[in-house]
Amino acid sequence: MNSSMVRYVLGCVLKIEGVLLLLPFLVGVIYQEKEAVVYLMVALFCWLVGFIMTLRRPKRDVFYLKEGCVATSLSWIFMSLMGCLPFYFTREIQSFTDALFETISGFTTTGASILSEVESLSHCTTFWRCFTHWIGGMGVLVFLLAVIPLSGGSNINLMRAESPGPSVGKLVPKIKYTAQILYLIYIGLTVLEIIFLLVGKVPFFEALNISFGTAGTGGFGIKNDSIAGYSVFVQWIVTIFMILFGINFNAYYLVLFRKFKKAFSIEEVKYYLLIILIAVGIISYNLIQASLGVFDAVTKAAFQVASIITTTGFSTTDFNTWAESSKTILVLLMFIGACAGSTGGGIKVSRFVILVKTVKKELNSYIHPKSIKKIKVDGNPVEHEVVRSVNVYFITFMIIFAASVFLISLEGNDLITNFTAVAATINNIGPGLELVGPMENFGFLPALSKYVLMFDMLAGRLELFPLLILFHPAIWKDTMKQKMELRKRSKV
């Protein structure tokens, strides 16, 4: 394994994070808050560590998928460890475990919080807390690819390790330009939402933070009641943009280059919008039956469906009190998630499309044993390798999910709390049901449960395997063997 290149990538990531930490420092200066000094000190420390790690550029800057997975996983862990320091040193979060939980939840765009009172936070901490969503939404390594060239196929290996979805491809011949296009779309949609929120008379600072949470599909609220206190107009703006950020960004690329027919024929996007429409219809009906007005019912249903399927986690009402069928739909949406290639989490609509088509193919093979039919998506045949990886992903997901539910059940909470806490974290959603419902938080959980859920958040955001590979003995054996060979050469 090219460990020197992994070290170099980690250093670059920390330098980027150091620069990004200057933004909450500037916010603190504008609002004349003493906490700003902490952000400056952590920013300098973060940049210094990154600078030391990148002093020597590796002789070989080519690395393969395993290096990409290791670099990606360690980058997210290092980012979280550095990013939690301002929370802890400002004492706005008293416990290091809680500070780390909040930071991982931010970067992974989960939005599960340990805080019961967010309106008392300083402006710089509020900004950094929401900004972590925006950083994690597209991924800091995608940004790295946009500015730092790597040799050969190294770029695509790094992008595959971080970008969500069953497959990652190039929009244009060079990955660097693909990353740049993705970020331009990301920034453009974020700015557009900020403008619409300002039209809705939301103060600029609040519009900025709400847009960060929506763009990254994160869901950290800056108010104790999340988005419930804002006007219906604002709620609909957030609803629409949550849905937009849950769409595969390839569709936006096609629209930008006027390939409208191809953009609107993407199968995954059509199923994604259809699922939203059906879920909103059923939940709206249930709310109307519960004596809510039609418009109010549709508004609440649309917001919560968009929030859950895109794994954003904002809320406008306590859906924990809804009818059982409505809550069941929301739990199912937690697992389905948004489109591949979006900022949303979950298993992804594309994987479910492939799984359903795989089942259909198997049923057909029972009826027509000699028939040979390939699974097709968007009219193109799906390679066996992709089908196999989707099946393996689903099995691995269920194993981790079951193990996590068991581990946190040792703390004695009820099954619904445990089940939805894991579902909300591994799918990067935020709120669950019962004790971790939309009006509650994760602060009451013991340390063991929090670390299990932190692992789930990272595993969910990184699509399981990049994180799991860190626990494979072969990775560390290769690294140790490489170091021993280098020592022998240096002695000679």
Side-chain angles (χ1 to χ4, degrees):
M1 187 173 74
N2 191 353
S3 55
S4 59
M5 194 59 206
V6 172
R7 181 256 309 157
Y8 184 79
V9 170
L10 287 175
C12 290
V13 168
L14 290 180
K15 285 200 292 186
I16 291 171
E17 186 176 15
V19 173
L20 294 174
L21 276 162
L22 293 175
L23 293 177
F25 162 70
L26 292 174
V27 171
V29 170
I30 292 169
Y31 287 95
Q32 299 180 343
E33 295 171 332
K34 63 181 186 299
E35 290 84 0
V37 178
V38 174
Y39 282 91
L40 178 61
M41 299 303 292
V42 174
L44 293 173
F45 175 69
C46 195
W47 191 89
L48 181 62
V49 173
F51 175 75
I52 293 168
M53 292 175 76
T54 55
L55 271 175
R56 284 192 308 161
R57 190 177 177 94
K59 293 178 182 177
R60 289 189 312 116
D61 59 357
V62 178
F63 62 111
Y64 301 100
L65 188 56
K66 65 177 180 181
E67 284 92 351
C69 290
V70 170
T72 299
S73 298
L74 291 179
S75 293
W76 281 74
I77 292 168
F78 274 57
M79 273 192 343
S80 299
L81 287 169
M82 289 292 186
C84 79
L85 295 179
F87 291 150
Y88 183 64
F89 288 136
T90 57
R91 309 309 292 168
E92 292 187 86
I93 298 179
Q94 299 290 323
S95 160
F96 179 79
T97 297
D98 285 350
L100 185 60
F101 185 97
E102 198 78 6
T103 308
I104 290 176
S105 180
F107 279 128
T108 59
T109 71
T110 304
S113 181
I114 51 86
L115 297 169
S116 56
E117 173 61 52
V118 296
E119 292 182 33
S120 61
L121 296 174
S122 61
H123 287 85
C124 51
T125 294
T126 297
F127 178 87
W128 177 242
R129 184 170 171 264
C130 295
F131 191 48
T132 55
H133 280 335
W134 197 84
I135 297 168
M138 187 58 67
V140 72
L141 292 175
V142 174
F143 176 76
L144 187 67
L145 294 176
V147 294
I148 297 177
L150 298 173
S151 298
S154 301
N155 284 318
I156 190 68
N157 287 327
L158 201 59
M159 194 169 185
R160 279 176 180 157
E162 185 179 53
S163 299
S167 62
V168 175
K170 303 175 185 179
L171 298 178
V172 290
K174 289 191 176 181
I175 280 290
K176 179 180 179 179
Y177 298 136
T178 295
Q180 289 173 351
I181 289 168
L182 289 173
Y183 253 99
L184 283 173
I185 295 168
Y186 191 50
I187 292 167
L189 284 172
T190 305
V191 171
L192 198 60
E193 183 182 2
I194 292 169
I195 292 169
F196 275 106
L197 290 175
L198 291 174
V199 171
K201 298 181 180 179
V202 178
F204 178 74
F205 183 75
E206 293 180 21
L208 197 64
N209 287 300
I210 291 169
S211 297
F212 287 155
T214 310
T217 61
F220 275 153
I222 56 173
K223 302 286 186 182
N224 293 332
D225 61 358
S226 190
I227 308 295
Y230 292 96
S231 67
V232 173
F233 174 81
V234 170
Q235 290 177 17
W236 272 106
I237 292 300
V238 175
T239 300
I240 291 165
F241 275 92
M242 284 191 292
I243 293 169
L244 290 176
F245 279 106
I247 290 174
N248 192 322
F249 275 39
N250 285 4
Y252 297 127
Y253 169 79
L254 293 170
V255 169
L256 282 174
F257 287 88
R258 298 181 180 180
K259 298 178 181 178
F260 300 109
K261 189 177 179 181
K262 198 172 180 181
F264 294 119
S265 65
I266 296 175
E267 202 171 332
E268 181 188 26
V269 176
K270 289 194 287 187
Y271 280 117
Y272 165 73
L273 296 174
L274 181 63
I275 291 166
I276 290 173
L277 194 63
I278 293 170
V280 170
I282 296 171
I283 293 175
S284 296
Y285 175 77
N286 287 341
L287 292 176
I288 291 167
Q289 293 293 102
S291 301
L292 242 66
V294 175
F295 182 75
D296 194 20
V298 173
T299 300
K300 283 181 165 54
F303 188 96
Q304 289 311 147
V305 167
S307 180
I308 297 299
I309 196 170
T310 62
T311 71
T312 305
F314 283 138
S315 62
T316 55
T317 185
D318 186 5
F319 54 78
N320 200 35
T321 61
W322 285 3
E324 293 301 318
S325 58
S326 295
K327 289 193 287 185
T328 302
I329 289 170
L330 293 181
V331 171
L332 292 174
L333 294 178
M334 287 181 183
F335 290 95
I336 294 170
C339 297
S342 71
T343 61
I347 294 174
K348 304 292 181 302
V349 174
S350 59
R351 284 198 178 96
F352 277 101
V353 170
I354 293 171
L355 283 169
V356 170
K357 290 190 175 188
T358 303
V359 172
K360 185 181 176 182
K361 181 191 170 188
E362 286 300 309
L363 288 173
N364 286 334
S365 69
Y366 277 89
I367 300 167
H368 306 288
K370 293 183 180 180
S371 67
I372 299 172
K373 284 189 177 181
K374 277 209 165 191
I375 296 168
K376 289 186 177 182
V377 175
D378 296 330
N380 301 314
V382 178
E383 296 297 327
H384 174 73
E385 186 65 24
V386 175
V387 177
R388 185 193 63 81
S389 68
V390 168
N391 293 335
V392 172
Y393 177 90
F394 190 76
I395 293 166
T396 309
F397 181 94
M398 296 312 297
I399 291 170
I400 294 174
F401 185 88
S404 299
V405 171
F406 172 73
L407 285 172
I408 68 169
S409 71
L410 299 175
E411 308 292 354
N413 292 314
D414 64 277
L415 179 59
I416 295 177
T417 296
N418 296 334
F419 186 91
T420 57
V422 174
T425 49
I426 199 169
N427 292 309
N428 304 132
I429 290 157
L433 297 174
E434 297 299 338
L435 298 179
V436 290
M439 301 296 123
E440 309 296 334
N441 61 73
F442 289 70
F444 71 94
L445 292 171
L448 172 64
S449 294
K450 285 174 182 171
Y451 279 103
V452 169
L453 297 178
M454 279 188 251
F455 174 85
D456 289 342
M457 286 188 275
L458 286 167
R461 175 58 181 83
L462 297 177
E463 304 278 289
L464 308 183
F465 296 107
L467 187 64
L468 291 179
I469 203 170
L470 291 179
F471 300 93
H472 199 295
I475 291 293
W476 305 110
K477 282 181 183 178
D478 289 346
T479 306
M480 293 301 294
K481 188 178 179 181
Q482 187 184 41
K483 285 182 179 178
M484 289 176 69
E485 286 176 358
L486 288 172
R487 285 177 186 174
K488 286 179 183 178
R489 288 176 189 173
S490 61
K491 287 179 181 179
V492 173

